[in-house]
Amino acid sequence: MIKKTKSGRWQVDAELSRGKRIRRTFDRKSDAVQFEAKVRSKSPSLNTQLNTDRDRRRLSELFQLWYDLHGHTLNDGERRFRALQRFAVRLNDPYAKSLTSTMYARDRRQRADAGISDKTLNNELTYIRAVFNELFSLGEITYLNPLSKVKQIRIQEQELSWLTDQQITEILNAVRDRRPGSNPHLEPLIRICLATGARWSEAENLKPVSLVNNVVTFSNTKSGKVRSVPISAELSHFLHEHWRLHGNFTSSIGAFRRVLEKTGIQLPKGQATHVLRHTFASHFVMKGGNILTLQRILGHSSVKVTMRYAHLAPKHLEEAVKLAPVTHW
């Protein structure tokens, strides 16, 4: 570290190793800088220490740097960046290098007390860690991730909800019974999700060019991979006719939630439109569909995620009865 003394001279002060320090004073700052560079070149550990000591960037500056260098390339980069900015504001934007696990844990506790879900809190921890990891990899910071040892909140896995044939009919009837002038895109979006297992956002992004020869192609997916799923000729005709009359899809998730409320169907928190994806997967497996095929249709990067539906397979249920320790009472 270089600092100006009371006498107006410039002092280099660095710790070469535990208990061993080096101090030199110079009349000119340029000489002090040259000496520091010379010492630093001969001591990698000192190089890290000096760079860290001189790093006065605020947390918000590091978040901005991360977004400029990497975050802007992510599908959810802007959303992550906004969450990171809010975190910096809550902590009064300290020096980034001064962030500690305790500071983060206190903020997390306050967020939890305010009703923020465990899943959201875990996501935010992932975002912050990713910033420090990425900037360290790029050589923009020389200190290790201050939150590397913070544990995520353990979340109890929720049972996946899915709709019965009767409930599907109930929802579609509720959509068709709405007053004239209501959102026209709701029925085709619901039918796409039920027929392909698509996420609601993936369905909303579809355009006429995405449907060719009765095959729907999804792009801008969560995994970043393009995937194609065949649909019936009847649904294909219905969609093309819809686009001809009403144009491209617009945001319709609010309309879906309102219809869901009218039906009285109760779903776990956070599973509104996603229940359609679960419904496709559940019915697919219950009718004997292959898990690996389902993985490709849903676009899961790991079959472990798809295995959540395995317990619905007919053979799985038959074996539960056949192989139970007690079969007769």
Side-chain angles (χ1 to χ4, degrees):
M1 179 174 60
I2 298 176
K3 59 183 178 181
K4 194 173 185 178
T5 64
K6 293 182 179 180
S7 63
R9 302 183 73 196
W10 298 91
Q11 184 184 68
V12 177
D13 185 356
E15 185 177 353
L16 296 177
S17 59
R18 288 187 177 181
K20 186 176 181 181
R21 305 184 66 84
I22 182 171
R23 293 187 179 90
R24 289 285 298 275
T25 304
F26 300 88
D27 293 329
R28 297 183 304 177
K29 184 177 181 179
S30 58
D31 293 334
V33 171
Q34 289 181 5
F35 177 77
E36 180 199 60
K38 182 178 179 180
V39 174
R40 186 167 61 240
S41 66
K42 296 180 179 180
S43 176
S45 61
L46 178 61
N47 181 43
T48 298
Q49 174 209 335
L50 292 175
N51 284 339
T52 301
D53 287 344
R54 291 161 57 183
D55 193 335
R56 292 292 184 270
R57 288 173 293 183
R58 298 284 179 176
L59 204 53
S60 60
E61 293 179 79
L62 245 62
F63 292 159
Q64 183 67 59
L65 181 62
W66 168 84
Y67 181 76
D68 293 339
L69 297 179
H70 177 68
H72 70 280
T73 67
L74 304 177
N75 289 337
D76 63 343
E78 289 189 17
R79 182 174 60 81
R80 288 193 184 199
F81 182 48
R82 289 193 295 270
L84 291 167
Q85 288 177 314
R86 291 192 292 269
F87 174 71
V89 170
R90 291 198 302 273
L91 265 65
N92 296 319
D93 204 13
Y95 291 128
K97 71 171 186 178
S98 69
L99 178 66
T100 65
S101 299
T102 301
M103 292 168 63
Y104 166 78
R106 285 173 177 162
D107 176 73
R108 183 169 68 179
R109 174 60 186 271
Q110 292 176 354
R111 300 269 286 155
D113 290 344
I116 305 302
S117 70
D118 291 344
K119 185 177 185 302
T120 297
L121 295 173
N122 283 345
N123 287 343
E124 291 175 349
L125 175 57
T126 299
Y127 301 158
I128 301 168
R129 280 176 172 168
V131 168
F132 286 97
N133 289 340
E134 185 64 30
L135 293 181
F136 184 82
S137 298
L138 293 173
E140 291 294 333
I141 59 175
T142 55
Y143 48 92
L144 298 178
N145 192 329
L147 305 186
S148 61
K149 295 183 179 181
V150 177
K151 296 179 180 178
Q152 289 201 330
I153 300 171
R154 187 171 182 177
I155 299 176
Q156 180 65 39
E157 185 176 354
Q158 287 186 334
E159 182 179 355
L160 299 179
S161 296
W162 48 272
L163 303 172
T164 63
D165 289 337
Q166 181 179 348
Q167 289 174 323
I168 292 172
T169 300
E170 185 179 355
I171 288 176
L172 289 175
N173 286 339
V175 171
R176 293 162 184 163
D177 289 343
R178 293 177 304 160
R179 66 179 183 274
S182 298
N183 187 323
H185 302 300
L186 204 50
E187 181 176 349
L189 286 169
I190 292 172
R191 292 181 63 178
I192 289 170
C193 292
L194 289 173
T196 66
R199 298 176 180 87
W200 188 264
S201 59
E202 294 172 341
E204 285 185 335
N205 287 330
L206 288 178
K207 295 177 175 57
V209 294
S210 307
L211 175 54
V212 179
N213 295 328
N214 302 336
V215 175
V216 178
T217 298
F218 298 100
S219 56
N220 296 320
T221 62
K222 184 178 180 180
S223 66
K225 297 180 180 179
V226 175
R227 70 179 191 278
S228 298
V229 183
I231 61 175
S232 68
E234 182 272 331
L235 179 56
S236 179
H237 174 76
F238 173 80
L239 292 175
H240 278 302
E241 186 66 12
H242 174 84
W243 282 319
R244 185 183 69 81
L245 294 174
H246 303 287
N248 293 338
F249 296 135
T250 57
S251 179
S252 306
I253 191 169
F256 178 80
R257 287 176 175 148
R258 288 190 291 274
V259 165
L260 199 60
E261 288 176 1
K262 289 181 179 179
T263 64
I265 297 174
Q266 298 295 316
L267 298 174
K269 185 178 179 180
Q271 287 192 28
T273 57
H274 218 59
V275 74
L276 303 175
R277 180 171 167 87
H278 294 324
T279 298
F280 167 84
S282 299
H283 283 253
F284 181 93
V285 172
M286 287 189 290
K287 293 177 182 178
N290 182 274
I291 283 290
L292 294 179
T293 301
L294 179 61
Q295 178 193 358
R296 292 194 294 272
I297 293 173
L298 297 180
H300 288 156
S301 57
S302 170
V303 74
K304 290 182 180 179
V305 181
T306 321
M307 287 298 292
R308 293 180 300 174
Y309 304 99
H311 70 285
L312 297 171
K315 290 184 178 179
H316 176 94
L317 298 177
E318 290 172 7
E319 289 180 353
V321 176
K322 193 182 301 181
L323 303 179
V326 179
T327 57
H328 301 286
W329 296 96

